[in-house]
Amino acid sequence: MILAAVLFSLIGASALSVPSAAQVRQARSLPCAPGGVTEPTLRPRDEGPRRPDFVEFRRRLRDAVARRDVEGVLAALDPNVKVAFDGAGGIEAFKKYHLENPQQDFWEEFGTILALGGRFSRADQFAAPYVFAAWPAEFDSFECLAVIGTGVRLRAAPRLDARAKALLDYAIVQSLGSEPTVTGWRRVRLADGRTGYVASRYVRSPIEHRAIFEFKERRWWLTAYVAGD
């Protein structure tokens, strides 16, 4: 990875911390290191190209999101689109829960989901992003997060100028959600026991927003857009 190589040339490999024996022993019981796995990863996966019609549908939807085109997004919705696990559904509910929700940046979140690939659960159904669709069952989906990049810095403190303790490539890490939070950062624990901070934009939970698309009536639809479990 070029980014990792550049960082090593700037700070030197010796600047990155090495896990202690105690951290390695502790890692054996961590929820995001099942079976004592030392370097768990979840690499990007996108099965979309298996269906060119889906690729074209997704491209048009991504273009609509980039333009913040409300009508373009609404045109992709199934009339009974599911929007929450409380049973809410339909286009008006989608507007209320997502497009008009002041606590949610729908455009950024949905754009990210569309950019992060996904998998076909069957020939006519596609789930995105890959962090949800390809999440390994042995990892706790409530406690673990996926790093969605390479050369991502694990920092000693939640600051851009803090020392880099490790470089992460699509790692699965434990979220230390009970710790004090700092906007824009997530405190995490690696499988080897080391802890530190990662910029929030580089980590994602499998139970964050995800989208389900289905092919029916000779076209693709967004049939569910939900978060949680």
Side-chain angles (χ1 to χ4, degrees), residues 36-111:
V37 60
T38 57
E39 296 183 1
T41 58
L42 177 61
R43 296 191 174 277
R45 183 168 182 177
D46 185 19
E47 296 179 353
R50 284 170 41 184
R51 289 201 53 160
D53 58 342
F54 176 75
V55 171
E56 175 59 19
F57 168 81
R58 184 171 61 181
R59 183 196 64 76
R60 287 187 278 107
L61 191 52
R62 290 183 70 177
D63 287 347
V65 170
R67 298 191 307 269
R68 300 197 170 214
D69 178 358
V70 172
E71 292 306 315
V73 170
L74 294 181
L77 301 184
D78 181 276
N80 298 309
V81 58
K82 183 178 180 180
V83 300
F85 288 105
D86 63 2
I91 293 176
E92 291 305 314
F94 185 93
K95 292 179 182 178
K96 175 183 176 181
Y97 276 69
H98 302 303
L99 291 174
E100 300 168 359
N101 185 346
Q103 298 182 346
Q104 179 187 150
D105 186 343
F106 167 80
W107 302 105
E108 180 177 355
E109 175 70 353
F110 193 42

Side-chain angles (χ1 to χ4, degrees), residues 153-164 182 184-185 197-199:
R153 297 164 178 81
L154 175 76
R155 295 193 179 276
R159 305 189 313 272
L160 289 175
D161 60 350
R163 177 174 61 89
V182 178
W185 295 88
Y197 294 85
V198 174

Side-chain angles (χ1 to χ4, degrees), residues 205-225:
S205 165
I207 60 172
E208 291 183 59
H209 280 101
R210 58 268 198 189
I212 306 298
F213 303 95
E214 293 187 42
F215 186 84
K216 54 185 180 179
E217 299 173 356
R218 298 188 297 179
R219 58 159 289 184
W220 285 95
W221 304 85
L222 174 62
T223 57
Y225 185 69

